Amino acid sequence: MSMEFNSLSLPPVLTLFPGLKPPNKTRLFHQTCVLVVTFLAYASFHASRKPPSIVKSVLGPTVPSNSTQAPNLSPTDAGWPPFNDAHGTHRLGELDLAFLSSYSVGMYFAGHVGDRIDLRLFLVVGMMGSGIFTVLFGLGYWFDVHVFGYFVVVQIFCGVFQSIGWPCVVAVVGNWLGESKRGFIMGVWSSHTSVGNIVGSFVASGVLEFGWGWSFVVPGLLIIFVGILVYVFLVVSPEDMGFVRPGIEVEMSAQETSLVKNPQGTESEEAMLFQSEDAASSDSSSAIGFLEAWKIPGVASFAFCLFFSKLVAYTFLYWLPFYIRHTAVAGMHISHKTAGLLSMIFDIGGVLGGITAGFISDVIEARAITSILFLFLSIPALILYRAFGSLSMLANIALMFTSGFFVNGPYSLITTAVAADLGTQSTNGGNSRAVATVTAIIDGTGSVGAALGPLLAGYISTRGWNSVFLMLILSILFAGLFLIRVARTEISAKLPEK
């Protein structure tokens, strides 16, 4: 069988090195390349989101000092107007709201546009725009910008470009993997979120001592560089390489089996082929409606669960370094740089938590039960972290790791494997076009919670961090309660019939 290539959609690397095309390289080789490139792409998106949380302790109000817990003050402890006065934490929370609101709204439009243009080019536009506006935020340091509106506008545009990333990488991975997605595989791949946070924390904290502007410029240049790699290497669809898409391949295999069983039935063969074409046409043209997708069993439950789960996860993403900096560990406040680096422990726990949640959900074949287990175990983890995390550095690290493990586990599971499961379940006829809509509903709803959490933390933290942790615990409780009904259905399905 000869392979036809769509040369207009091929990345430059395949034009420069024809030996990378089939049959010289297999489908598995290109699938692996796609997973690696999309992993790096979305990790760089998250790395460029991390600087605001790292510099909060530098921009915001100074660490309160007293006779027993006075940190070594430096020039950076003076803060940066307009974030260093009594309302500084409010403004920092509003800055997070500006970014996350435009991000959540932009995601719906990004998914719609991405279905109609070249995904590789669209993804590159998102990465370049994100990098440029991240750099522009950092330039405020050298140009001595103290206008709150400037930073808000930059964050709004940055959020819009950032929203392009997730729909694009999910669509590309879906093209190559089809319905072969499993909790463990997606758990490993979706660790790009935590890996990006870790890289962003390391880079932004490492250059913070040279001026907070560098904490934005370096990650901004990083995502631009990775964007160039995406433009050069990413192959959007297997059809571009002459391969058959996984879902279509399964249909062809079924047709071939039927032909073997009825080799003399010419009329039957033609009828089968026409029936297959009609089914394929119906599947591709009748994309499920927005309201119809909400009616799919489990979609609303998981969407509202993610609302509260992402509220908690993003509150940690944007405020954890600030909290560490402003909380004495073993009676001493640590530096801005150390606080940023220490916050990586939460994300390291999140990587293992996401992979473990995916693996467990595959073994017991129950996504809701796994999510509830992780959610309810995260409640005592957060209580212990708040109560005993300040006793010693070892206790802080261990409890922070545990909190990240349980908090990020269900968040990772719901945004990947659960969305794919719900989008292809039998109740909607196995319509593969439902995956994108279901993913947009679940992650879009979650992004609203992600926008709300950091904003509330900015206001509530002025009353004390116990109030912030109470908000997080209540959010986790609500997240778990939304899945009780789905979990009961999973349990009932596993009980032997009487």
Side-chain angles (χ1 to χ4, degrees):
M1 177 180 175
S2 61
M3 293 188 176
E4 298 181 1
F5 304 105
N6 185 354
S7 58
L8 296 177
S9 300
L10 292 179
V13 68
L14 296 177
T15 303
L16 296 174
F17 302 98
L20 295 176
K21 298 179 181 179
N24 300 315
K25 298 297 181 182
T26 64
R27 174 200 293 272
L28 179 60
F29 170 83
H30 289 285
Q31 283 177 329
T32 303
C33 289
V34 166
L35 288 173
V36 171
V37 172
T38 52
F39 183 97
L40 292 175
Y42 208 67
S44 67
F45 270 108
H46 262 264
S48 65
R49 291 183 203 175
K50 194 65 180 177
S53 69
I54 298 298
V55 304
K56 267 190 174 73
S57 58
V58 176
L59 301 179
T62 59
V63 179
S65 60
N66 55 47
S67 57
T68 59
Q69 296 181 357
N72 295 322
L73 295 177
S74 66
T76 59
D77 288 299
W80 186 272
F83 304 108
N84 63 343
D85 58 17
H87 300 288
T89 55
H90 296 177
R91 293 193 182 98
L92 290 170
E94 291 164 2
L95 211 58
D96 296 335
L97 178 66
F99 172 87
L100 292 168
S101 296
S102 63
Y103 174 81
S104 59
V105 173
M107 184 172 292
Y108 290 101
F109 292 99
H112 182 75
V113 174
D115 287 337
R116 289 158 175 77
I117 65 175
D118 190 311
L119 281 172
R120 177 170 61 94
L121 298 180
F122 192 40
L123 180 58
V124 170
V125 168
M127 299 179 77
M128 293 298 172
S130 298
I132 290 170
F133 280 97
T134 301
V135 171
L136 285 175
F137 194 109
L139 291 179
Y141 171 75
W142 288 283
F143 288 100
D144 202 29
V145 178
H146 298 283
V147 179
F148 181 60
Y150 169 82
F151 297 107
V152 170
V153 170
V154 169
Q155 285 295 79
I156 289 174
F157 278 99
C158 192
V160 170
F161 282 106
Q162 284 269 341
S163 69
I164 295 174
W166 184 244
C168 286
V169 296
V170 169
V172 171
V173 171
N175 287 342
W176 281 93
L177 297 183
E179 297 180 5
S180 63
K181 302 170 183 175
R182 289 292 183 267
F184 177 73
I185 295 175
M186 297 305 291
V188 174
W189 179 74
S190 66
S191 65
H192 48 44
T193 298
S194 294
V195 170
N197 292 339
I198 292 169
V199 172
S201 298
F202 182 81
V203 172
S205 300
V207 298
L208 185 59
E209 59 188 298
F210 303 109
W212 64 260
W214 288 109
S215 296
F216 286 88
V217 170
V218 176
L221 294 177
L222 175 64
I223 190 174
I224 291 175
F225 173 75
V226 178
I228 295 173
L229 295 182
V230 169
Y231 176 79
V232 173
F233 289 99
L234 183 63
V235 180
V236 170
S237 175
E239 287 94 337
D240 296 337
M241 298 295 296
F243 295 121
V244 179
R245 195 183 294 244
I248 298 175
E249 196 173 51
V250 172
E251 293 178 6
M252 291 177 62
S253 299
Q255 293 172 6
E256 291 168 359
T257 302
S258 180
L259 287 173
V260 170
K261 290 182 179 180
N262 187 17
Q264 297 177 346
T266 305
E267 184 176 351
S268 173
E269 174 186 338
E270 292 176 353
M272 179 195 67
L273 290 175
F274 280 119
Q275 184 178 4
S276 175
E277 289 175 1
D278 292 340
S281 175
S282 175
D283 179 71
S284 61
S285 61
S286 59
I288 193 167
F290 185 79
L291 295 179
E292 290 180 85
W294 273 104
K295 297 177 182 178
I296 296 175
V299 168
S301 298
F302 278 107
F304 288 116
C305 172
L306 188 63
F307 174 93
F308 289 102
S309 297
K310 209 166 182 179
L311 183 153
V312 176
Y314 269 65
T315 299
F316 274 101
L317 173 66
Y318 281 92
W319 284 96
L320 183 56
F322 185 90
Y323 168 74
I324 295 172
R325 169 62 176 157
H326 286 71
T327 304
V329 179
M332 297 182 62
H333 286 276
I334 59 179
S335 67
H336 300 290
K337 179 179 179 179
T338 304
L341 293 174
L342 192 61
S343 68
M344 293 191 301
I345 302 299
F346 184 88
D347 293 302
I348 293 173
V351 171
L352 297 179
I355 295 173
T356 304
F359 177 76
I360 293 175
S361 69
D362 278 346
V363 172
I364 67 175
E365 298 180 343
R367 311 292 195 203
I369 294 174
T370 304
S371 298
I372 289 176
L373 174 65
F374 273 71
L375 286 168
F376 287 164
L377 286 176
S378 66
I379 292 177
L382 292 185
I383 293 174
L384 290 173
Y385 178 58
R386 174 57 184 161
F388 303 107
S390 60
L391 292 180
S392 67
M393 185 62 71
L394 180 61
N396 192 289
I397 291 174
L399 294 173
M400 192 191 310
F401 176 90
T402 305
S403 299
F405 183 90
F406 289 116
V407 167
N408 280 354
Y411 161 51
S412 173
L413 183 64
I414 293 171
T415 55
T416 54
V418 167
D421 290 347
L422 294 175
T424 56
Q425 62 180 315
S426 58
T427 53
N428 60 21
N431 184 358
S432 61
R433 292 286 299 275
V435 178
T437 306
V438 169
T439 300
I441 287 174
I442 292 179
D443 205 50
T445 305
S447 295
V448 176
L452 185 62
L455 175 68
L456 292 176
Y459 280 86
I460 296 175
S461 63
T462 57
R463 300 183 178 183
W465 287 103
N466 285 338
S467 300
V468 176
F469 273 80
L470 178 61
M471 176 194 75
L472 299 178
I473 291 170
L474 290 176
S475 297
I476 292 171
L477 183 62
F478 280 116
L481 291 177
F482 273 109
L483 292 185
I484 294 294
R485 185 176 179 181
V486 182
R488 288 172 59 184
T489 303
E490 291 178 346
I491 293 173
S492 298
K494 294 183 179 299
L495 293 177
E497 297 181 2
K498 296 182 180 180

